[in-house]
Amino acid sequence: MGKERIVILTGAGLSAESGVPTFRDKDGIWAKVDYREVATPEGFARNPARVHEFYNMRRRAHAGIRPNAAHAALARLEREHAGEVWVVTQNVDALHEGAGTQNLIHMHGQLFQALCNACGSRAPWAEDLSLTTVCPACTNAGGMRPDVVWFGEMPYHMERIRDLLEAADLFLSIGTSGNVYPAAGFVAEARASGAHTVELNLEPSEGCSLFAESVYGPATAVVPAYVDRLLKDL
Ligand code: NAD
């Protein structure tokens, strides 16, 4: 087996069959909720209680949710491939780590983590957040927010991600609509570095023509089949 370096970008489509709603699909979250109210720093400044309510609800909704066969296949790829495998996820759920993926970057933050606006510290967070939540590090009350990257904010770990894309031999994009930058630009960066690029999605994404190869279908079917093939071929 070769030592190809594999970088995998994942989006909401990967978790859809676990029961986590996607964002921009017909029945997605942004069809029901105005993202400007709940997913921007301005929305949080205007009505922090509304934003807490939205993320408290999402946190509670994750209680019974489990990783699916696609998460499991990516964890298996990391375990069994002789080269490095990295997952860069736009998802704020904890399903990749739940399936056993270790080399994981949460570029849009994590639902189960809180960030203190007063001292900048982060803490694992499974409970509700409110206007009176006290920061465990600095004891300031009222400055805690979900550690999720909102529209208009810079995604996390971009330097590390760019280094990984530059060194990639194979780039997979799975379950993402390809219209939120900078993640939507990763395929072009990987191509420029000479990587083979593959899209796995329910349907062609906005940037589908940028990929050298594409596989369409539900993630729980196409991802395990693709990983099986990859582990045989590499
Ligand atoms: P998306 O909803 O835009 O796209 C989901 C994609 O998955 C679609 O292309 C759809 O065809 C596909 N899909 C649906 N079901 C599938 C299945 N069963 N198998 C395979 N593919 C399936 O989600 P995205 O691309 O992840 O969106 C980009 C990011 O924008 C989000 O991940 C999110 O982090 C982000 N964002 C969210 C917030 C927030 O919630 N606060 C804020 C800023 C940005």
Side-chain angles (χ1 to χ4, degrees):
M1 195 185 285
K3 294 220 172 181
E4 287 81 356
R5 279 169 294 203
I6 305 174
V7 178
I8 305 161
L9 172 69
T10 65
L14 192 78
S15 296
E17 290 164 86
S18 289
V20 183
T22 59
F23 292 96
R24 289 169 190 77
D25 289 315
K26 196 163 49 66
D27 301 318
I29 293 178
W30 300 150
K32 298 179 184 127
V33 183
D34 185 342
Y35 78 89
R36 288 165 299 195
E37 279 182 21
V38 297
T40 62
E42 296 78 13
F44 188 58
R46 264 196 310 270
N47 191 349
R50 166 80 184 98
V51 176
H52 282 315
E53 180 200 343
F54 174 71
Y55 287 97
N56 290 342
M57 207 183 61
R58 285 185 64 189
R59 222 176 280 111
R60 285 188 224 137
H62 272 69
I65 279 170
R66 301 279 169 270
N68 63 44
H71 298 100
L74 296 183
R76 176 178 166 231
L77 180 64
E78 182 187 309
R79 273 196 316 274
E80 296 184 13
H81 176 49
E84 236 179 66
V85 177
W86 277 89
V87 172
V88 177
T89 189
Q90 300 170 89
N91 299 342
V92 298
D93 63 48
L95 298 180
H96 279 300
E97 44 275 62
T101 289
Q102 310 242 345
N103 293 342
L104 177 64
I105 297 176
H106 273 285
M107 65 176 290
H108 287 164
Q110 301 180 57
L111 192 55
F112 292 95
Q113 197 160 275
L115 169 65
C116 176
N117 270 336
C119 73
S121 70
R122 297 182 153 83
W125 213 271
E127 310 300 320
D128 284 0
L129 283 169
S130 77
L131 297 176
T132 56
T133 302
V134 172
C135 170
C138 72
T139 68
N140 183 73
M144 298 298 275
R145 58 166 276 182
D147 191 11
V148 163
V149 175
W150 288 324
F151 289 95
E153 296 183 320
M154 181 56 82
Y156 298 151
H157 314 296
M158 285 309 299
E159 211 170 302
R160 174 80 181 114
I161 296 169
R162 297 239 140 84
D163 288 346
L164 289 171
L165 291 170
E166 213 167 282
D169 299 302
L170 173 62
F171 173 75
L172 309 179
S173 171
I174 309 179
T176 174
S177 58
N179 53 19
V180 172
Y181 281 84
F186 290 174
V187 56
E189 291 179 49
R191 270 177 85 122
S193 313
H196 180 61
T197 54
V198 187
E199 162 162 278
L200 296 100
N201 204 42
L202 196 56
E203 59 199 11
S205 71
E206 280 200 9
C208 64
S209 61
L210 297 169
F211 290 87
E213 192 186 335
S214 40
V215 185
Y216 297 120
T220 57
V222 296
V223 176
Y226 187 85
V227 165
D228 277 348
R229 182 153 66 82
L230 208 54
L231 285 169
K232 281 194 195 97
D233 290 353
L234 285 176

